[in-house]
Amino acid sequence: MMPCPETFPYPLVALQETDSTSRYLNQLCSDLQEGVTEFTTVTAEFQHAGKGQRGNTWEAEEGKNLLFSFVLYPTFLEARRQFILSQIVSLSIKEELSRWSDEFTIKWPNDIYWRDKKICGILIENDLTGHSIGRCISGIGVNINQEEFRSDAPNPVSLKQIAGKEHDRYEILAHILKRMDIYYHSLQAEGVDAFSEIIAARYARALFRRRGFHPYQDAGGRFSARLLRVEQDGRFVLEDESGKEREYLFKEVQYVI
């Protein structure tokens, strides 16, 4: 069942179908001269061109999952600190899903995993204005009630498969946005430098494979390493079995699942 926009706690555009909720929201922001308010959210029952990392598409059975995008205008945030947005989006989703099961983690930079399976993908697009972030659109797919996955994606899972029951998708969406709202306004109220340390600590505790040695692959091939830290700008720092530190930006290294 689709939500009623009049009773949803945030401005909502609920579509039956679209190519991409992020593309739709981006166009909406460009078309409306009076502007689109923060936390305006576009949902779709079905996307036929949903975007993922590395140009991938997101498989989602119609009417079963959460496919949505929302907009922020974090002009108080310097461009060099944009990774904070990725952290608070992924934390909001991970913490909401953790109401129903343990073992949810954040796979760097912002996928949500349950054990070794992917339940959520996030693609964040920032428009910069000078040295600050003028607009941020987060596009998100969360597998909620889908029972079978037919694409060649290697490791999808849904909340229904994990918890054994169906869930109200739009109740979960409202809770995710509320969690995000709290993080976002705490960042503004308490100051980026002070509150970002709290966010970084929570993010570090939530990371996938945060302990022990695990297989990775980069341009030089496969290797084993342990996670040391994630820097403020999002750089991923590993230590391999020889004791050498290896530092990566987005897309420069992959987990071997």
Side-chain angles (χ1 to χ4, degrees):
M1 185 174 70
M2 293 175 68
C4 176
E6 288 73 26
T7 59
F8 197 74
Y10 296 91
L12 181 69
V13 179
L15 306 173
Q16 184 63 39
E17 182 176 341
T18 188
D19 57 350
S20 158
T21 57
S22 289
R23 193 175 296 120
Y24 186 99
L25 182 53
N26 187 63
Q27 190 63 50
L28 190 66
C29 291
S30 299
D31 290 346
L32 293 182
Q33 292 183 347
E34 66 271 23
V36 175
T37 60
E38 282 195 312
F39 284 97
T40 291
T41 302
V42 174
T43 68
E45 294 296 283
F46 182 69
Q47 277 186 146
H48 52 81
K51 294 187 291 183
Q53 296 285 1
R54 297 183 174 89
N56 296 329
T57 57
W58 183 260
E59 179 198 358
E61 185 178 345
E62 183 171 355
K64 295 289 188 179
N65 303 305
L66 271 177
L67 308 170
F68 68 100
S69 298
F70 67 92
V71 64
L72 299 173
Y73 303 101
T75 53
F76 64 92
L77 198 58
E78 292 179 273
R80 66 184 180 87
R81 305 300 299 276
Q82 58 189 294
F83 185 63
I84 294 173
L85 296 172
S86 179
Q87 290 175 309
I88 61 178
V89 171
S90 55
L91 280 168
S92 298
I93 297 168
K94 183 265 180 192
E95 289 167 1
E96 175 60 22
L97 293 176
S98 292
R99 293 173 61 201
W100 286 280
S101 181
D102 297 328
E103 300 184 79
F104 285 106
T105 58
I106 300 169
K107 177 174 160 287
W108 176 85
N110 55 20
D111 285 338
I112 309 300
Y113 266 52
W114 179 76
R115 298 181 180 173
D116 283 342
K117 296 187 175 184
K118 183 174 178 177
I119 191 170
C120 171
I122 301 167
L123 183 62
I124 299 176
E125 299 171 292
N126 295 318
D127 290 337
L128 306 183
T129 302
H131 295 294
S132 299
I133 302 171
R135 184 172 75 199
C136 170
I137 291 180
S138 299
I140 298 161
V142 189
N143 298 327
I144 303 294
N145 293 323
Q146 189 160 336
E147 296 183 74
E148 294 183 29
F149 293 88
R150 297 177 176 84
S151 77
D152 58 0
N155 58 343
V157 71
S158 72
L159 191 57
K160 182 174 183 180
Q161 290 175 325
I162 295 166
K165 65 176 185 177
E166 291 216 352
H167 293 78
D168 184 326
R169 292 172 295 144
Y170 289 94
E171 180 182 344
I172 290 174
L173 174 59
H175 288 164
I176 289 171
L177 293 172
K178 286 176 183 177
R179 291 175 186 274
M180 182 68 199
D181 198 343
I182 292 168
Y183 272 123
Y184 185 67
H185 286 103
S186 296
L187 196 60
Q188 288 177 290
E190 299 186 29
V192 174
D193 288 337
F195 198 64
S196 64
E197 294 184 8
I198 295 171
I199 293 168
R202 290 184 184 179
Y203 179 84
R205 289 194 298 270
L207 282 170
F208 178 67
R209 294 184 177 175
R210 67 189 181 96
R211 293 191 179 95
F213 282 81
H214 299 280
Y216 296 87
Q217 185 162 342
D218 63 11
R222 185 175 292 199
F223 63 97
S224 181
R226 67 183 183 96
L227 175 62
L228 287 183
R229 62 188 178 275
V230 177
E231 301 284 11
Q232 283 188 349
D233 61 2
R235 283 174 295 152
F236 193 57
V237 185
L238 300 172
E239 181 184 62
D240 65 24
E241 291 180 306
S242 71
K244 176 185 175 183
E245 285 195 16
R246 298 175 177 231
E247 190 175 283
Y248 298 96
L249 298 173
F250 302 148
K251 303 182 183 179
E252 290 182 345
V253 67
Q254 297 181 41
Y255 293 82
V256 177
I257 305 296

